[in-house]
Amino acid sequence: QPDLVYYRDGISTTVSVERWGRHLALKNNGKVDASNGDDMPTQIMVSAYPLLLHPKGPKDLEVAIVGFGSGVTVGAALEFPVRHIDNMELEDAVVDAGLRFFSNVSHLERARERFPYVRHPRLTLFKDDGRNFLAAVDKTYDVIVSEPSNPWITGVSDLFTVDHFQVTKKKLKPGGVYCQWVQLYELSPENIKTVYRTFASQFQHVVAFAAEELSSDTILVGSDRPLPLDLAHIARAMEDPRVARELERAYVHAPADVWSRILFASRDELMRFTQTEWRRGQDGVFEEQMRATGGEACTPPSCKRAPVPLNTDDNMLIELRAPSDLIGFARYDGYLSTFYAESWPYGDLATHLAHVDGEADKRRMALSLLAHGRKRGAARFAERVQVEPSDREARIEARTIALLLHDGPDPVPELEPPIPSLPLDPELRGKFERFYAEGARAFDSGDYKLAAAALERLPEPYRTLSGPGLRFRYALALERSARDIARHKQAAAELEELIRRDETYTAAHPELFYFLARALYNARNYDKAVRDMRRYAATQTAD
């Protein structure tokens, strides 16, 4: 059970902070709204994306942010060279808790005993409802960021309506950018599409990002002027060392990493996605297709589509429908994977992204897309890559890309026989030799499932302490027979432990990194897979 380290009944919500070891979570009425753990990329990027995408770049922008939470979003924005930020927070206990417990991750220090608690020359806090403030304020902004709580909460749901977007759009300067956080969890596919379409209906240009790879948090950026999908534009912003350091905290190491998180590259893509699709079954009855993306052919009379309805103040669709999603979300288990499947039809960067002309940029885009699990997008850039033979670093990068993209023949490792380092009585030695022989025969014949099962019958200490050759064989049997992520993770753990424990064996068997990269990629640990495949590629690339 967590430790309750903060509790206060505010005027509009009960605010609490709970601690699990080093992990802290801020809750409103028992609902986690911020943390210093898994939420960090979302909290940082919800302010970073619109600042990076503003046509003028982030310098000297006037910014409004709805909600304070842990303070990380506000603090992240202040790491950019913006002119000023107005922040609205309805409940002052949220600011109190945020500054008490999250200052080490928000860059904001508690300087006062009463609201606004913080003193910063480029920040003004308002104790006010975000929607009311933006409707009434006599001021316009370059960027407006809305990161409220979940849309199934009454009051919060008002920040996801056509009416709200219409009012707040008037508070954007020409070329201004609006940013909206949208969750993919605890919402039905139809309600996710309704929120998306409601936002997209109000802006001429829209781009949608994942907060990080495989994230259930998405971030929509909208404007009535074109948004620069430009590698050089991001690179210029990241020349500021403070900006680069802040983005590193969200695992954005290079400009390519920003674009690798795109889910929708245009408003048109969002509008095509946000339709309900029905297909006629064999019994003649139309059935709704939950996983339809709008990217497939839909030919009448066997298929039909219709735009999802918009969320308005009058119909209150999300406020009234989303609570039932919260209760019955198990019906949509696995829907998140739709957005990260290889068949995902949107966000083709090879078509939309500008200034990817140099060979180095193409390689880095391909590597970044691989590090985000997007093989198809990586292949589009990789097919255009040409490498100078004299550039060893470029050859290593190109080889890394090729090894991860293509299922070519694996390197053939030399697997030494076991060398038990623990004493074996005659009976145990007989079992050991029998099980090993059974596993080795199955391995050599290609029956890796049987090989893994046989080797698992060896007592664990003898399997791990009988020489690296046996452990390598077992890890390979695990990986080659794996049918689920858990098994791939187990194989990766075995290989990582072998590499960590035996530097001499690893130096003689660089293919360990190849098979570790394969296991990690199959376990969806994409960035580490790229790192370890690069290690292997470096050993295979001559100076």
Side-chain angles (χ1 to χ4, degrees):
Q1 292 296 314
D3 294 323
L4 182 66
V5 296
Y6 181 92
Y7 184 96
R8 181 172 157 191
D9 282 319
I11 293 175
S12 60
T13 180
T14 295
V15 182
S16 60
V17 178
E18 295 178 352
R19 184 196 303 275
W20 292 263
R22 296 179 181 179
H23 184 82
L24 290 163
L26 185 148
K27 293 184 173 183
N28 282 303
N29 290 333
K31 165 71 180 66
V32 175
D33 276 338
S35 75
N36 64 352
D38 293 344
D39 294 316
M40 286 296 292
T42 301
Q43 294 171 131
I44 292 168
M45 296 312 296
V46 77
S47 62
Y49 283 137
L51 294 175
L52 290 169
L53 261 67
H54 194 282
K56 296 194 303 184
K59 189 173 182 180
D60 290 332
L61 299 182
E62 290 283 349
V63 181
I65 298 178
V66 178
F68 186 84
S70 63
V72 170
T73 297
V74 173
L78 287 168
E79 292 299 290
F80 288 73
V82 300
R83 182 182 303 155
H84 193 268
I85 296 174
D86 286 344
N87 177 240
M88 299 115 252
E89 176 52 60
L90 183 59
E91 179 53 65
D92 72 348
V94 169
V95 185
D96 181 33
L99 292 171
R100 283 180 187 271
F101 296 97
F102 297 91
S103 286
N104 63 321
V105 290
S106 71
H107 314 297
L108 297 172
E109 294 296 330
R110 183 185 175 92
R112 300 173 177 175
E113 284 305 310
R114 295 189 177 184
F115 188 88
Y117 302 105
V118 67
R119 184 180 287 112
H120 194 288
R122 292 186 292 138
L123 172 65
T124 304
L125 265 67
F126 295 91
K127 192 191 301 185
D128 199 350
D129 172 77
R131 176 165 172 167
N132 289 341
F133 178 90
L134 289 170
V137 68
D138 186 20
K139 184 177 181 180
T140 56
Y141 299 92
D142 297 291
V143 170
I144 297 175
V145 176
S146 180
E147 189 191 17
S149 188
N150 304 75
W152 42 261
I153 299 174
T154 298
V156 174
S157 58
D158 293 343
L159 295 170
F160 293 87
T161 66
V162 167
D163 310 74
H164 170 64
F165 295 136
Q166 287 176 341
V167 170
T168 51
K169 263 186 62 173
K170 297 176 182 177
K171 301 306 163 72
L172 284 174
K173 297 184 181 204
V177 174
Y178 193 101
C179 181
Q180 178 69 59
W181 167 81
V182 180
Q183 67 191 75
L184 297 181
Y185 57 92
E186 296 173 349
L187 283 177
S188 68
E190 183 178 11
N191 285 338
I192 290 170
K193 290 179 178 180
T194 287
V195 175
Y196 276 178
R197 195 175 189 88
T198 300
F199 182 89
S201 70
Q202 300 306 305
F203 297 95
Q204 295 179 35
H205 302 275
V206 181
V207 180
F209 296 86
E212 59 177 323
E213 67 271 17
L214 304 178
S215 179
S216 59
D217 290 326
T218 65
I219 298 167
L220 307 184
V221 180
S223 178
D224 284 340
R225 299 239 180 125
L227 295 163
L229 272 64
D230 185 336
L231 198 64
H233 183 82
I234 303 298
R236 286 192 293 272
M238 291 183 69
E239 289 173 357
D240 185 323
R242 288 183 65 182
V243 171
R245 281 196 301 270
E246 189 63 15
L247 293 175
E248 280 278 351
R249 297 204 303 157
Y251 315 116
V252 173
H253 311 297
D257 294 333
V258 173
W259 300 121
S260 293
R261 298 180 183 184
I262 278 189
L263 294 173
F264 299 92
S266 69
R267 179 181 185 272
D268 177 66
E269 290 186 347
L270 262 168
M271 299 305 272
R272 278 191 282 145
F273 173 72
T274 54
Q275 301 179 81
T276 304
E277 181 175 308
W278 300 268
R279 290 186 182 268
R280 192 191 302 272
Q282 293 182 348
D283 57 0
V285 176
F286 279 97
E287 296 179 359
E288 183 177 343
Q289 305 299 301
M290 182 182 73
R291 293 181 182 271
T293 64
E296 312 86 0
C298 180
T299 307
S302 61
C303 177
K304 59 183 181 180
R305 288 177 179 151
V308 295
L310 303 183
N311 184 42
T312 70
D313 284 356
D314 290 339
N315 63 29
M316 300 187 294
L317 283 179
I318 296 302
E319 180 175 347
L320 298 178
R321 294 193 314 200
S324 64
D325 292 346
L326 181 65
I327 296 169
F329 186 68
R331 290 174 293 175
Y332 314 111
D333 188 38
Y335 182 67
L336 176 64
S337 64
T338 304
F339 290 77
Y340 300 105
E342 278 297 309
S343 58
W344 182 248
Y346 303 117
D348 179 10
L349 294 174
T351 300
H352 291 92
L353 195 58
H355 292 119
V356 193
D357 305 316
E359 299 303 316
D361 285 341
K362 294 174 190 174
R363 291 195 308 274
R364 286 160 193 162
M365 275 308 314
L367 284 168
S368 180
L369 286 162
L370 284 169
H372 287 79
R374 301 179 66 179
K375 277 191 173 183
R376 189 169 67 173
R380 293 286 304 277
F381 285 100
E383 66 189 14
R384 298 151 53 189
V385 168
Q386 296 182 7
V387 179
E388 286 290 331
S390 60
D391 190 339
R392 181 173 184 268
E393 189 67 22
R395 286 187 288 125
I396 290 172
E397 290 180 347
R399 188 173 180 85
T400 301
I401 294 165
L403 288 169
L404 284 167
L405 281 177
H406 305 298
D407 292 325
D410 293 339
V412 180
E414 181 181 347
L415 300 172
E416 298 83 354
I419 312 170
S421 60
L422 297 175
L424 294 169
D425 59 39
E427 181 180 358
L428 188 54
R429 178 173 292 278
K431 286 184 178 181
F432 183 95
E433 292 174 350
R434 185 169 71 254
F435 293 150
Y436 174 75
E438 181 183 340
R441 283 195 302 272
F443 187 95
D444 293 340
S445 67
D447 191 342
Y448 300 113
K449 183 176 180 181
L450 179 60
L455 295 175
E456 282 171 347
R457 294 172 69 186
L458 296 171
E460 195 275 337
Y462 293 95
R463 189 174 69 242
T464 56
L465 299 175
S466 296
L470 174 55
R471 191 160 198 168
F472 196 179
R473 185 185 294 271
Y474 174 59
L476 284 177
L478 281 175
E479 174 56 22
R480 288 173 171 173
S481 64
R483 294 294 179 269
D484 56 52
I485 289 177
R487 202 70 162 167
H488 290 300
K489 286 183 177 179
Q490 187 181 354
E494 289 286 335
L495 290 164
E496 284 175 330
E497 185 67 9
L498 176 54
I499 290 169
R500 187 182 70 82
R501 284 180 173 273
D502 201 324
E503 292 182 6
T504 302
Y505 187 80
T506 300
H509 294 77
E511 65 272 14
L512 279 166
F513 291 111
Y514 173 91
F515 291 107
L516 173 57
R518 287 287 188 190
L520 287 168
Y521 210 91
N522 289 327
R524 298 183 183 175
N525 202 332
Y526 303 120
D527 56 338
K528 288 185 178 180
V530 171
R531 176 201 65 191
D532 287 312
M533 191 61 84
R534 193 186 186 288
R535 289 181 179 177
Y536 174 72
T539 68
Q540 306 300 301
T541 306
D543 291 332

